[in-house]
């Protein structure tokens, strides 16, 4: 059991590291331009308005909660058919439909929603999901959003991967790779948007010990490693697809009080109030804005945005490790090797 001063110390550390990072953003947050205070709906309205993306298909992992659910709603508002991927579609579908079609600050009554299952800690379900998604006519937006944060003790996925990097990185890498031939062959390409975090600065990627078999496990260090992996992955995907229409970016959504914080000690009582008062800097509606911007904005389809890290609807600068080409290549290779060793080889590109 942690002492209260230690709990406050955790919050203070998170606040100190995350807040200055937001100041690194290039671009304005003035109301006239998209920025820190923009909501996902405002991004849609700025990028063509309701229905402007009719006929497009979006796939969102972790789409039944938090930022992911608001992302699904905004993309539906933009006219997309939205495939919501979650662990329990039969349990979550009614709540998602209610929130998107009838709830909140605005409603999308004619939203085209579908629900598919994936349990990212079981790679067999990732393969099953990929099979179903490969049968779709097109995937225009692939939003790799699902995540877990600060799991208190080291836990493993069914493949033996440490759970934070296993769910946040390995499972999404596999999903992308199983879809890659389809995405590359699509005449209109695809936007691949990976949810990273300013918390990528909390960890280091050690390709010789990604699963904390030798290093001491810490909840935030492992989360930081997984989010650093997300930034490196997004840039690697961009580099692989420089000659075709697949575009890939990573996103820091802001700091938003969602169920993601459930493992933070005390998050359900006083800690929750502290998160809201001192750490959270956005509402859920604002937290989904940069993801939606990454999907819909013309800028994010341009070559000069390939592989960038976005925050507050603008290009931001991740740390030096996240920009290291050697680390990027080493992580890609280690991920491919370890997935193959676990029996989940992706078809070569
Ligand atoms: N909130 C923040 O302050 C913040 C800051 C920076 C980055 N992010 C990133 O933003 C993304 C979305 O986070 P959020 O704040 O919206 O959190 P959230 O509300 O907890 O959403 C996370 C989603 O991931 C799903 N998920 C977790 N484990 C899964 C698994 N094993 N298989 C399939 N789905 C799984 C959850 O499903 P269940 O509901 O079934 O658990 C949930 O739908 C994450 O990648 C997170 O790292 C968030």
């Amino acid at each position: 059991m942690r002492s209260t001063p230690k709990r406050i110390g955790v919050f203070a550390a998170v606040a100190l590291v995350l807040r200055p990072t937001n100041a690194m953003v290039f671009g304005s947050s003035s109301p006239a331009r998209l920025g820190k205070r923009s909501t996902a709906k405002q991004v849609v309205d700025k990028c063509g308005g309701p229905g402007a993306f009719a006929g497009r298909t979006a796939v969102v992992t972790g789409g039944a909660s938090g930022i992911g659910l608001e992302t699904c709603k905004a993309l539906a508002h933009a006219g997309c058919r939205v495939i919501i991927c979650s662990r329990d579609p039969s349990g979550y579908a009614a709540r998602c439909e209610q929130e998107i079609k009838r709830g909140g600050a605005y409603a999308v009554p004619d939203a085209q929603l579908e629900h598919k299952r994936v349990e990212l800690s079981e790679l067999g379900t990732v393969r099953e999901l990929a099979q179903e998604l490969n049968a779709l006519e097109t995937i225009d937006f692939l939003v790799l959003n699902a995540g877990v944060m600060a799991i208190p003790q080291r836990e493993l996925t069914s493949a033996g991967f440490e759970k934070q990097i296993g769910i946040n990185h390995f499972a999404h890498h596999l999903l992308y790779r199983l879809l890659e031939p389809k995405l590359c062959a699509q005449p209109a390409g695809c936007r691949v948007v990976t949810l990273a975090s300013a918390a990528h600065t909390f960890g280091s990627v050690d390709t010789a010990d990604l699963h904390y078999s030798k290093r001491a496990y810490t909840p935030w260090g492992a989360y930081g490693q997984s989010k650093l992996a997300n930034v490196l992955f997004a840039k690697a995907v961009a580099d692989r697809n420089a000659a075709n229409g697949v575009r890939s970016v990573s996103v820091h959504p802001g700091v938003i009080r969602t169920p993601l914080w459930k493992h933070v000690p005390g998050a359900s009582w006083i800690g929750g109030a502290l998160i809201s008062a001192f750490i959270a800097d956005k509402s859920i509606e604002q937290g989904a804005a940069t993801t939606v911007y990454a999907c819909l904005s013309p800028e994010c389809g341009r070559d000069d945005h390939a592989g960038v890290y976005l925050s507050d609807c603008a290009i931001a600068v991740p740390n030096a490790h996240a920009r290291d080409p050697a680390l990027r290549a080493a992580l890609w290779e280690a991920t491919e090797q370890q997935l193959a060793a676990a029996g989940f080889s992706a078809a070569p590109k």
Side-chain angles (χ1 to χ4, degrees):
M1 189 74 181
R2 284 166 188 261
S3 67
T4 299
K6 275 189 183 160
R7 288 180 186 170
I8 292 168
V10 168
F11 291 123
V14 172
L16 277 173
V17 173
L18 295 183
R19 284 212 177 259
T21 308
N22 287 321
M24 292 166 56
V25 174
F26 298 146
S28 161
S29 59
S30 71
R33 298 177 59 181
L34 295 176
K36 184 165 184 159
R37 298 283 155 232
S38 303
T39 65
K41 179 177 181 296
Q42 287 170 338
V43 173
V44 173
D45 293 342
K46 200 103 175 170
C47 293
F53 290 83
R56 311 288 182 88
T57 298
V59 172
V60 183
T61 68
S65 172
I67 302 165
L69 178 55
E70 185 62 26
T71 299
C72 291
K73 185 173 188 174
L75 292 174
H77 179 57
C80 297
R81 166 195 186 191
V82 182
I83 316 277
I84 300 176
C85 306
S86 72
R87 292 201 271 205
D88 181 16
S90 53
Y92 292 151
R95 186 170 49 77
C96 293
E97 299 260 341
Q98 163 67 29
E99 167 57 32
I100 294 174
K101 295 185 176 174
R102 289 175 285 279
Y106 69 104
V108 191
D110 55 351
Q112 295 177 67
L113 308 175
E114 289 167 45
H115 303 270
K116 294 199 183 294
R117 178 175 186 264
V118 68
E119 168 51 72
L120 295 168
S121 66
E122 294 169 15
L123 295 177
T125 74
V126 176
R127 192 150 56 190
E128 287 164 14
L129 175 65
Q131 272 169 6
E132 290 186 55
L133 296 177
N134 270 318
L136 296 172
E137 201 170 317
T138 58
I139 299 171
D140 299 282
F141 309 111
L142 177 62
V143 182
L144 305 175
N145 163 83
V148 287
M149 182 175 83
I151 296 176
Q153 309 294 332
R154 178 176 178 266
E155 293 179 25
L156 302 180
T157 69
S158 60
F161 300 152
E162 184 281 314
K163 238 182 187 176
Q164 298 198 63
I165 197 164
I167 291 170
N168 299 354
H169 167 66
F170 275 87
H172 282 136
H173 180 112
L174 178 65
L175 179 61
Y176 165 75
R177 289 283 281 122
L178 294 173
L179 298 175
E180 189 175 55
K182 173 189 181 64
L183 304 183
C184 293
Q186 293 180 168
C190 179
R191 299 258 180 109
V192 181
V193 179
T194 304
L195 268 287
S197 172
H200 72 269
T201 57
F202 293 179
S204 58
V205 165
D206 180 350
T207 53
D209 188 23
L210 290 170
H211 308 294
Y212 291 85
S213 308
K214 303 177 195 120
R215 290 183 283 171
Y217 175 85
T218 65
W220 287 103
Y223 181 65
Q225 172 177 254
S226 74
K227 292 288 124 180
L228 180 53
N230 289 149
V231 183
L232 293 162
F233 164 81
K235 176 74 167 95
V237 170
D239 291 350
R240 288 167 71 78
N241 292 292
N244 64 38
V246 176
R247 291 287 172 268
S248 167
V249 299
S250 59
V251 165
H252 169 59
V255 183
I256 305 102
R257 190 180 169 191
T258 65
L260 188 75
W261 291 81
K262 67 186 172 200
H263 293 302
V264 174
S268 58
W269 54 291
I270 188 168
L274 284 171
I275 291 166
S276 295
F278 298 113
I279 299 181
D281 65 355
K282 288 186 182 180
S283 65
I284 288 177
E285 291 80 2
Q286 292 167 335
T290 304
T291 303
V292 175
Y293 172 79
C295 290
L296 305 185
S297 73
E299 301 89 279
C300 289
R302 293 196 322 233
D303 287 350
D304 63 352
H305 278 56
V308 298
Y309 171 74
L310 298 168
S311 177
D312 298 341
C313 301
I315 295 176
V317 183
N319 74 3
H321 298 300
R323 293 181 272 122
D324 179 351
L327 186 60
R328 189 158 65 236
L331 176 66
W332 188 277
E333 199 183 324
T335 304
E336 295 271 305
Q337 281 176 357
Q338 292 181 23
L339 285 170
F344 293 93
S345 181
K349 190 184 169 199

